[in-house]
Amino acid sequence: MSATHERVGDSGGDGNGRVQPAVGIDELLERVRAGYERIQPQEAYQAARSGDALLVDIRYAALRERDGLIPDALVVERNELEWRLDPQGSHRLPEATSHALRVVVICNEGYASSLAVQSLHQLGLHRATDLVGGFQAWRAAGLPVV
């Protein structure tokens, strides 16, 4: 970035005038995941079957085409997730009925989904969680894929 260009809003602070130290992605994931309980594939499968959880697949199209889909999982592109699941949002999906909704976010291997859950928590979806190992763990557990 040249000296004549700066990023808007990139003050390095926390909004209260305090500068936050930079962290690496591994530490960030550890911090994010400490704030909620992640779910294993078999538990997610049972929760979805019983109607206690909404499975949300955020993998991009090429991975879905290559590896298949989890039956009855809602496909929401990662860049649309917050808009589609915010119960107060004007672009919400019909399934986004309340902040009490239990959402299980599924990415390919269980990394991007953790960061997505943090964002959903900030929207008030405090029961949101993600699948340990993502879609690849689901498939390895022998759970249904179409």
Side-chain angles (χ1 to χ4, degrees):
M1 189 175 320
S2 74
T4 61
H5 294 91
E6 61 183 55
R7 290 183 286 184
V8 174
D10 187 16
S11 64
D14 63 2
N16 294 317
R18 294 182 297 260
V19 175
Q20 296 294 312
V23 299
I25 189 61
D26 293 331
E27 184 177 342
L28 178 61
L29 280 171
E30 186 177 315
R31 288 180 186 183
V32 166
R33 290 171 174 168
Y36 66 96
E37 189 172 327
R38 301 179 79 207
I39 191 170
Q40 295 292 329
Q42 191 64 43
E43 184 182 354
Y45 175 70
Q46 293 301 331
R49 286 193 60 190
S50 71
D52 183 47
L54 176 65
L55 304 182
V56 179
D57 186 343
I58 64 168
R59 294 175 300 143
Y60 54 90
L63 289 176
R64 295 190 311 266
E65 291 168 11
R66 182 189 77 189
D67 294 336
L69 298 166
I70 295 172
D72 299 321
L74 187 63
V75 174
V76 179
E77 295 285 339
R78 172 63 192 100
N79 63 328
E80 297 181 357
L81 186 68
E82 293 81 359
W83 284 267
R84 300 296 187 216
L85 293 183
D86 178 3
Q88 298 174 338
S90 60
H91 293 84
R92 73 176 181 82
L93 293 169
E95 294 85 353
T97 55
S98 80
H99 286 99
L101 181 64
R102 184 176 185 201
V103 176
V104 179
V105 182
I106 303 166
C107 67
N108 194 47
E109 294 182 344
Y111 296 100
S113 56
S114 295
L115 299 177
V117 166
Q118 178 186 34
S119 183
L120 293 178
H121 284 184
Q122 291 173 328
L123 287 175
L125 293 158
H126 297 290
R127 294 184 69 210
T129 187
D130 72 322
L131 187 66
V132 175
F135 178 86
Q136 297 306 323
W138 177 280
R139 186 169 62 182
L143 295 170
V145 174
V146 293

